[in-house]
Amino acid sequence: IANFFQALGWKYLLERMAGRAVALRPLMTVFMSGQLARYTPGKVGLPMVRIAGATKLGLSAHLIAASVGLEVAAWIGVGSLVCCGALLCNLSGGSAIASLSRTWIWLALFGIGSCLSIAALVDQRRFPTWVLRLLRTEGKGPLISIPMLAMQLLAWSGWWVLGMLIPLAVGSTLHVAVGQAVIFILAPIIGFLALVAPGGIGVRETVISYALAPQIGASAALAAAVLARAAALASELAGWLIAVVWERREPL
């Protein structure tokens, strides 16, 4: 479900950039194929697959390429915003990052929130030329859309729920599971930023197991990390299969 929310977010972004509606069925197939392509080295698979689907979506390759950069930046921003909110709510008590200063977390929350608000509300023609050149965007209107941010927030909520269910599955108490759920949001972000790790493999698992080990033990923490990866892969494969079957079905 979280994957489909993220796909809808990309749809809203493309529609804002293109100024017209984008068909949902082919978009879902292109998006889910791109998700699986993240497991290629160097993180190049995702943009290549999406750009290859430009013709199917009736959009230019340049617009698709620009949308990927904007979507990824917003995805990291929304995820970081959720992390900061969880930390401020003290949901990570006892974790390896619980000692972070609340002042710095507030500053990060304000900074990230301000950047996302500016990108969603301010016309891009007011941005410096070098910023637009860097983002490879053009036209008018905000860089991103509020509906896209809302969909990404829902998608990250799926990771939060996963972060509560996985520890419970390996014997954690409910209190610890709720408190450590933020790690399952932070880990995918760190895994994505590790460009040499396809799909964040290894990096994401290290973050999860390191953070959970003091609370539930090393073996259970490692099992939780493996289960989280298995759940992510299963959801991406299932999402791709559903999207392909749905696209090939005749319209009602």
Side-chain angles (χ1 to χ4, degrees):
I1 294 173
N3 283 327
F4 279 104
F5 278 133
Q6 193 173 344
L8 285 175
W10 187 47
K11 179 179 187 293
Y12 291 137
L13 175 63
L14 288 176
E15 290 178 342
R16 194 218 60 75
M17 296 177 69
R20 64 174 179 82
V22 177
L24 181 59
R25 291 191 183 193
L27 178 136
M28 283 293 183
T29 303
V30 172
F31 180 87
M32 295 301 176
S33 300
Q35 291 297 94
L36 293 177
R38 292 183 300 112
Y39 293 95
T40 57
K43 303 291 194 300
V44 297
L46 186 149
M48 290 178 64
V49 168
R50 291 197 190 179
I51 291 172
T55 302
K56 178 185 291 190
L57 300 179
L59 302 171
S60 69
H62 178 273
L63 187 145
I64 295 291
S67 75
V68 172
L70 289 173
E71 186 210 14
V72 168
W75 179 79
I76 294 175
V78 173
S80 301
L81 206 65
V82 174
C83 279
C84 291
L87 289 170
L88 289 172
C89 291
N90 200 31
L91 295 182
S92 60
S95 74
I97 57 176
S99 60
L100 287 174
S101 169
R102 292 178 67 86
T103 300
W104 286 108
I105 297 173
W106 273 112
L107 288 174
L109 185 69
F110 177 78
I112 297 169
S114 297
C115 290
L116 290 174
S117 297
I118 291 172
L121 299 175
V122 177
D123 193 306
Q124 62 183 281
R125 290 175 295 182
R126 297 181 178 272
F127 285 77
T129 304
W130 67 268
V131 174
L132 300 179
R133 190 182 301 115
L134 177 65
L135 297 175
R136 300 179 64 187
T137 187
E138 57 188 26
K140 58 182 180 179
L143 289 173
I144 58 179
S145 67
I146 293 177
M148 184 199 74
L149 294 179
M151 291 300 103
Q152 289 192 343
L153 183 60
L154 290 172
W156 278 115
S157 298
W159 277 99
W160 202 342
V161 172
L162 180 71
M164 289 185 283
L165 295 178
I166 292 292
L168 291 174
V170 296
S172 169
T173 64
L174 179 61
H175 174 74
V176 171
V178 173
Q180 301 304 309
V182 66
I183 298 300
F184 289 78
I185 299 174
L186 183 62
I189 296 176
I190 296 177
F192 178 84
L193 294 176
L195 297 179
V196 296
I201 292 179
V203 178
R204 185 192 299 179
E205 288 72 28
T206 299
V207 173
I208 293 174
S209 58
Y210 174 76
L212 291 181
Q215 282 72 45
I216 64 176
S219 298
L222 181 59
V226 174
L227 281 174
R229 173 64 68 177
L233 279 171
S235 69
E236 288 160 354
L237 284 170
W240 177 76
L241 287 171
I242 291 171
V244 170
V245 172
W246 188 33
E247 183 185 9
R248 292 179 179 179
R249 285 188 61 188
E250 292 294 330
L252 296 177

